[in-house]
PDB file of all heavy atoms in Angstrom:
ATOM      1  N   ASN L 219      19.193  36.867 -32.056  1.00 94.00           N
ATOM      2  CA  ASN L 219      20.405  37.093 -31.270  1.00 94.00           C
ATOM      3  C   ASN L 219      21.580  36.531 -32.045  1.00 94.00           C
ATOM      4  O   ASN L 219      21.672  35.321 -32.232  1.00 94.00           O
ATOM      5  CB  ASN L 219      20.329  36.380 -29.922  1.00 94.00           C
ATOM      6  CG  ASN L 219      19.443  37.131 -28.942  1.00 94.00           C
ATOM      7  OD1 ASN L 219      19.003  38.241 -29.235  1.00 94.00           O
ATOM      8  ND2 ASN L 219      19.201  36.519 -27.809  1.00 94.00           N
ATOM      9  N   ILE L 220      22.434  37.405 -32.509  1.00 94.00           N
ATOM     10  CA  ILE L 220      23.558  36.942 -33.317  1.00 94.00           C
ATOM     11  C   ILE L 220      24.812  36.846 -32.452  1.00 94.00           C
ATOM     12  O   ILE L 220      25.179  37.804 -31.781  1.00 94.00           O
ATOM     13  CB  ILE L 220      23.832  37.888 -34.489  1.00 94.00           C
ATOM     14  CG1 ILE L 220      22.568  38.096 -35.319  1.00 94.00           C
ATOM     15  CG2 ILE L 220      24.959  37.344 -35.363  1.00 94.00           C
ATOM     16  CD1 ILE L 220      22.732  39.053 -36.478  1.00 94.00           C
ATOM     17  N   SER L 221      25.444  35.667 -32.459  1.00 92.00           N
ATOM     18  CA  SER L 221      26.716  35.501 -31.765  1.00 92.00           C
ATOM     19  C   SER L 221      27.830  35.409 -32.792  1.00 92.00           C
ATOM     20  O   SER L 221      27.643  34.813 -33.842  1.00 92.00           O
ATOM     21  CB  SER L 221      26.744  34.211 -30.961  1.00 92.00           C
ATOM     22  OG  SER L 221      25.684  34.191 -30.049  1.00 92.00           O
ATOM     23  N   VAL L 222      28.965  35.996 -32.469  1.00 91.00           N
ATOM     24  CA  VAL L 222      30.115  35.858 -33.349  1.00 91.00           C
ATOM     25  C   VAL L 222      31.004  34.755 -32.791  1.00 91.00           C
ATOM     26  O   VAL L 222      31.603  34.907 -31.739  1.00 91.00           O
ATOM     27  CB  VAL L 222      30.907  37.176 -33.439  1.00 91.00           C
ATOM     28  CG1 VAL L 222      32.033  37.030 -34.446  1.00 91.00           C
ATOM     29  CG2 VAL L 222      29.986  38.313 -33.827  1.00 91.00           C
ATOM     30  N   LEU L 223      31.035  33.616 -33.487  1.00 89.00           N
ATOM     31  CA  LEU L 223      31.911  32.512 -33.087  1.00 89.00           C
ATOM     32  C   LEU L 223      32.963  32.384 -34.185  1.00 89.00           C
ATOM     33  O   LEU L 223      32.666  31.927 -35.275  1.00 89.00           O
ATOM     34  CB  LEU L 223      31.127  31.200 -32.957  1.00 89.00           C
ATOM     35  CG  LEU L 223      29.895  31.197 -32.051  1.00 89.00           C
ATOM     36  CD1 LEU L 223      29.292  29.800 -31.976  1.00 89.00           C
ATOM     37  CD2 LEU L 223      30.261  31.658 -30.663  1.00 89.00           C
ATOM     38  N   PRO L 224      34.176  32.847 -33.899  1.00 86.00           N
ATOM     39  CA  PRO L 224      35.159  33.001 -34.977  1.00 86.00           C
ATOM     40  C   PRO L 224      35.547  31.702 -35.675  1.00 86.00           C
ATOM     41  O   PRO L 224      36.026  31.735 -36.786  1.00 86.00           O
ATOM     42  CB  PRO L 224      36.390  33.584 -34.266  1.00 86.00           C
ATOM     43  CG  PRO L 224      35.982  33.886 -32.889  1.00 86.00           C
ATOM     44  CD  PRO L 224      34.686  33.244 -32.591  1.00 86.00           C
ATOM     45  N   ASP L 225      35.319  30.583 -35.053  1.00 84.00           N
ATOM     46  CA  ASP L 225      35.750  29.321 -35.641  1.00 84.00           C
ATOM     47  C   ASP L 225      34.524  28.559 -36.144  1.00 84.00           C
ATOM     48  O   ASP L 225      33.611  28.272 -35.381  1.00 84.00           O
ATOM     49  CB  ASP L 225      36.484  28.525 -34.552  1.00 84.00           C
ATOM     50  CG  ASP L 225      37.095  27.251 -35.086  1.00 84.00           C
ATOM     51  OD1 ASP L 225      36.408  26.518 -35.824  1.00 84.00           O
ATOM     52  OD2 ASP L 225      38.246  26.983 -34.757  1.00 84.00           O
ATOM     53  N   GLU L 226      34.502  28.234 -37.447  1.00 89.00           N
ATOM     54  CA  GLU L 226      33.283  27.605 -37.985  1.00 89.00           C
ATOM     55  C   GLU L 226      33.063  26.186 -37.472  1.00 89.00           C
ATOM     56  O   GLU L 226      31.918  25.735 -37.395  1.00 89.00           O
ATOM     57  CB  GLU L 226      33.291  27.650 -39.517  1.00 89.00           C
ATOM     58  CG  GLU L 226      33.169  29.083 -40.020  1.00 89.00           C
ATOM     59  CD  GLU L 226      32.648  29.208 -41.440  1.00 89.00           C
ATOM     60  OE1 GLU L 226      32.579  28.201 -42.145  1.00 89.00           O
ATOM     61  OE2 GLU L 226      32.315  30.342 -41.823  1.00 89.00           O
ATOM     62  N   THR L 227      34.135  25.486 -37.104  1.00 85.00           N
ATOM     63  CA  THR L 227      33.914  24.158 -36.513  1.00 85.00           C
ATOM     64  C   THR L 227      33.244  24.311 -35.146  1.00 85.00           C
ATOM     65  O   THR L 227      32.441  23.482 -34.755  1.00 85.00           O
ATOM     66  CB  THR L 227      35.235  23.373 -36.356  1.00 85.00           C
ATOM     67  OG1 THR L 227      36.176  24.216 -35.710  1.00 85.00           O
ATOM     68  CG2 THR L 227      35.779  22.937 -37.686  1.00 85.00           C
ATOM     69  N   ALA L 228      33.565  25.408 -34.437  1.00 83.00           N
ATOM     70  CA  ALA L 228      32.905  25.661 -33.152  1.00 83.00           C
ATOM     71  C   ALA L 228      31.427  25.987 -33.378  1.00 83.00           C
ATOM     72  O   ALA L 228      30.574  25.621 -32.572  1.00 83.00           O
ATOM     73  CB  ALA L 228      33.592  26.804 -32.420  1.00 83.00           C
ATOM     74  N   ILE L 229      31.111  26.662 -34.491  1.00 90.00           N
ATOM     75  CA  ILE L 229      29.706  26.940 -34.809  1.00 90.00           C
ATOM     76  C   ILE L 229      28.967  25.618 -34.999  1.00 90.00           C
ATOM     77  O   ILE L 229      27.867  25.414 -34.473  1.00 90.00           O
ATOM     78  CB  ILE L 229      29.591  27.802 -36.087  1.00 90.00           C
ATOM     79  CG1 ILE L 229      30.162  29.193 -35.829  1.00 90.00           C
ATOM     80  CG2 ILE L 229      28.141  27.883 -36.562  1.00 90.00           C
ATOM     81  CD1 ILE L 229      30.026  30.141 -36.997  1.00 90.00           C
ATOM     82  N   LEU L 230      29.593  24.714 -35.723  1.00 90.00           N
ATOM     83  CA  LEU L 230      28.964  23.411 -35.955  1.00 90.00           C
ATOM     84  C   LEU L 230      28.750  22.679 -34.633  1.00 90.00           C
ATOM     85  O   LEU L 230      27.682  22.098 -34.394  1.00 90.00           O
ATOM     86  CB  LEU L 230      29.828  22.585 -36.920  1.00 90.00           C
ATOM     87  CG  LEU L 230      29.273  21.224 -37.317  1.00 90.00           C
ATOM     88  CD1 LEU L 230      27.922  21.354 -37.989  1.00 90.00           C
ATOM     89  CD2 LEU L 230      30.241  20.488 -38.231  1.00 90.00           C
ATOM     90  N   ALA L 231      29.768  22.744 -33.769  1.00 84.00           N
ATOM     91  CA  ALA L 231      29.648  22.085 -32.460  1.00 84.00           C
ATOM     92  C   ALA L 231      28.504  22.692 -31.655  1.00 84.00           C
ATOM     93  O   ALA L 231      27.721  21.974 -31.030  1.00 84.00           O
ATOM     94  CB  ALA L 231      30.965  22.210 -31.692  1.00 84.00           C
TER      95      ALA L 231
END
Side-chain angles (χ1 to χ4, degrees):
Chain L
N219 283 353
I220 306 178
S221 303
V222 184
L223 306 183
D225 186 314
E226 293 202 348
T227 50
I229 293 183
L230 183 59

